[in-house]
């Protein structure tokens, strides 16, 4: 058997195994007992009533979740959004009660089951989403690059804007990343082309094919200790190994070493961070940096050392002199940063966004794309 035929046989075997694992996992889900489902749910993030996602508004007056947030941060809010409460579908009509985590009734109702399309904040609608529509409705971001473009219409690209702020897509927007240009949520530069939805193996291309809808973890393989991903990625035995997976033999971040795609993305982010800081210094004579455990995340780098320390990462020191060009690049940084699994959900799309952001800043920042590779 020649090498080419041997490779083809291996690919076919892997495809058959992947199909079998998916089929058996789906059969197991259908056969799960209420007790098993309940155990999974009560240990999931959706059930964590004490988390910030469900308690953020507890000290507000009145203590309620605003309609714009209620859609994804309360069960009643989501039921309102899909029209399961008898209201008009596609919008939330009223504030929701606090401490109302995502429960069974949010997803298991006729209105939610009937969903087969998702509208993204870019204005793009993706159809044929089926059972994944519920997941995608809350993990599709709250803002898009189109909002940044609209906010900067008619403004000079390199003129600082007083009292301007960092714009971002919100958090955990896995569906927006996964759909890539099909959703168009990243800031996509004119004249550039971007990949669409990430096409993985046939049986692991959607939310529920990869994630257990009740535990939210990776689907388990019945009667086996194997990880779902290990069928094709032999070095993966659990979540801790996902970041070791390599996409291809390309040094995207130009550091001279071909690394797993997670590290390539981190390297590209570091280049963009440097470009943003140097651009800011060149245009406003002010350093710029991120500190993601402190709101509003973007701060003045007072000593221009490239990092934001505890004394700098405070609200009064927030960065408020963005230019339109800088705001676009910073949005893309946030787009990658605030979806922790971006490297899994659509690595090529986020690498393209990072590369183009660096390129757009290069004339002023002095940080170029030389040595970098755009997928």
């Amino acid at each position: 058997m020649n090498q080419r035929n041997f490779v083809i046989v291996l690919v076919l075997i892997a495809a058959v195994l992947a199909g079998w694992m998916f089929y058996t996992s789906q059969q197991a889900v259908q056969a799960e007992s209420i007790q098993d489902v309940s155990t999974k749910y009560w240990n999931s993030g959706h059930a964590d009533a004490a988390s910030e996602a469900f308690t953020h508004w507890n000290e507000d007056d009145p203590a309620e979740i605003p309609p714009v947030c209620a859609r994804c941060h309360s069960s009643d809010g989501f039921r309102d959004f899909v029209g399961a409460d008898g209201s008009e579908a596609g919008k939330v009509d009223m504030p929701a009660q606090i401490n109302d985590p995502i429960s069974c009734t949010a997803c298991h109702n006729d209105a939610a089951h009937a969903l087969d399309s998702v509208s993204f904040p870019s204005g793009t609608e993706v159809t044929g989403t089926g059972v994944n529509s519920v997941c995608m409705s809350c993990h599709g971001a709250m803002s898009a690059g189109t909002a940044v473009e609209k906010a900067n219409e008619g403004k000079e690209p390199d003129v600082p804007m007083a009292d301007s702020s960092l714009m971002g897509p919100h958090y955990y927007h896995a569906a927006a990343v996964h759909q890539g240009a099909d959703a168009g949520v990243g800031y996509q530069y004119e004249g550039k082309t971007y990949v669409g939805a990430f096409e993985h193996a046939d049986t692991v291309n959607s939310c529920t094919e990869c994630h257990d809808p009740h535990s939210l973890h990776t689907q388990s393989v019945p009667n086996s200790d194997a990880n779902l991903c290990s069928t094709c990625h032999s070095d993966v035995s659990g979540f801790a190994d996902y970041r070791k997976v390599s996409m291809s033999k390309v040094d995207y971040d130009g550091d001279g070493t071909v690394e797993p795609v997670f590290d390539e993305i981190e390297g590209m982010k570091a280049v963009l961070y440097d470009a943003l800081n140097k651009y800011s210094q060149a245009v406003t004579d002010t350093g710029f940096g991120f500190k993601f455990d402190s709101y509003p995340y973007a701060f003045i780098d007072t000593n221009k050392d490239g990092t934001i320390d505890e004394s700098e990462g405070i609200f009064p020191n927030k960065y408020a002199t963005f230019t339109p060009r800088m705001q676009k690049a910073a949005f893309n940084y946030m787009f990658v940063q605030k979806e922790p699994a971006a490297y899994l959900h659509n690595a090529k799309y986020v690498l393209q966004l990072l590369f183009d952001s660096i390129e757009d800043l290069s004339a002023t920042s002095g940080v170029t794309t030389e040595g970098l590779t755009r997928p």
Side-chain angles (χ1 to χ4, degrees), residues 206-223:
S206 69
C207 312
T208 54
E209 286 176 339
C210 294
H211 295 276
D212 184 296
H214 298 114
S215 72
L216 311 183
H217 298 306
T218 305
Q219 288 277 16
S220 59
V221 180
N223 306 314

Side-chain angles (χ1 to χ4, degrees), residues 15 22 25 31 65 70 73 117 137 147 174 194 201-202 220 225 258 268 294 297 331-332 338-339 354:
F22 174 70
S25 67
I65 305 176
H73 292 275
S117 66
S137 293
Y194 297 89
D202 287 343
S220 59
D225 292 330
V258 176
M268 192 81 83
S294 299
Y297 313 124
F331 181 93
N332 279 344
K338 289 300 181 179
E339 170 38 42
L354 293 170

Side-chain angles (χ1 to χ4, degrees), residues 268-328:
M268 192 81 83
K269 283 167 58 180
V271 177
L272 178 54
Y273 191 114
D274 185 41
L276 283 164
N277 193 357
K278 289 180 177 175
Y279 173 92
S280 178
Q281 292 185 44
V283 174
T284 69
D285 194 31
T286 303
F288 169 90
F290 290 110
K291 193 171 190 297
F292 291 108
D293 59 357
S294 299
Y295 185 80
Y297 313 124
F299 300 94
I300 298 170
D301 181 13
T302 54
N303 59 9
K304 301 178 183 178
D305 67 350
T307 61
I308 301 298
D309 60 29
E310 292 298 325
S311 65
E312 294 170 324
I314 54 177
F315 192 84
N317 192 50
K318 66 179 180 179
Y319 191 93
T321 53
F322 286 90
T323 68
R325 191 185 306 277
M326 190 179 182
Q327 206 168 51
K328 296 167 185 176

Side-chain angles (χ1 to χ4, degrees), residues 183-235:
V185 175
Y187 184 84
Q188 299 178 177
Y189 289 88
E190 186 177 356
K192 298 287 189 175
T193 58
Y194 297 89
V195 297
F198 176 44
E199 296 183 4
H200 205 179
D202 287 343
T203 57
V204 283
N205 263 329
S206 69
C207 312
T208 54
E209 286 176 339
C210 294
H211 295 276
D212 184 296
H214 298 114
S215 72
L216 311 183
H217 298 306
T218 305
Q219 288 277 16
S220 59
V221 180
N223 306 314
S224 172
D225 292 330
N227 183 277
L228 180 66
C229 304
S230 65
T231 306
C232 297
H233 301 285
S234 58
D235 55 344

Side-chain angles (χ1 to χ4, degrees), residues 127-166:
T127 60
T129 47
V131 68
N132 302 288
S133 305
V134 171
C135 315
M136 295 171 72
S137 293
C138 277
H139 291 278
M142 287 190 66
S143 183
T146 51
V148 183
E149 185 69 41
K150 185 176 181 180
N152 289 297
E153 284 181 355
K155 298 178 181 177
E156 291 297 321
D158 298 306
V159 175
M161 302 176 290
D163 299 320
S164 54
S165 59
L166 178 68

Side-chain angles (χ1 to χ4, degrees), residues 56-64 66:
H56 181 80
W57 305 268
N58 285 13
E59 303 303 319
D60 289 357
D61 186 14
E64 60 186 20

